[in-house]
Amino acid sequence: PPPRRVAEARLVNESLAGRKVLILGLGVIGGGVAVARYFAAQGATLRITDLRSPELLAPALSALSDLEADFV
């Protein structure tokens, strides 16, 4: 199979518990929130960043307020 499929297969079979995940671009539409929730549910340690102001990101940050994540 192509390398991409091999990488996807490995990710499915490996646990994300305790892994460090960096999410670049939380966004204001909701995609970053969904990604953060997925990785948190898998047990990953999250660091999330976005160039937008905290005021603009307030809805997304509020939606993730129950998660233990490092927002930078």
Side-chain angles (χ1 to χ4, degrees):
R4 180 179 165 151
R5 288 186 180 204
V6 171
E8 289 173 2
R10 270 195 220 127
L11 184 59
V12 169
N13 293 327
E14 289 183 17
S15 171
L16 296 173
R19 296 278 196 132
K20 296 179 182 177
V21 173
L22 174 62
I23 299 173
L24 301 172
L26 181 57
V28 294
I29 298 174
V33 171
V35 168
R37 289 207 165 279
Y38 171 79
F39 283 115
Q42 300 302 311
T45 301
L46 303 178
R47 175 170 281 187
I48 304 170
T49 185
D50 198 301
L51 294 177
R52 293 174 184 90
S53 70
E55 293 78 22
L56 189 60
L57 294 170
L61 294 171
S62 177
L64 297 175
S65 63
D66 61 319
L67 298 183
E68 288 190 36
D70 183 19
F71 297 96
V72 292

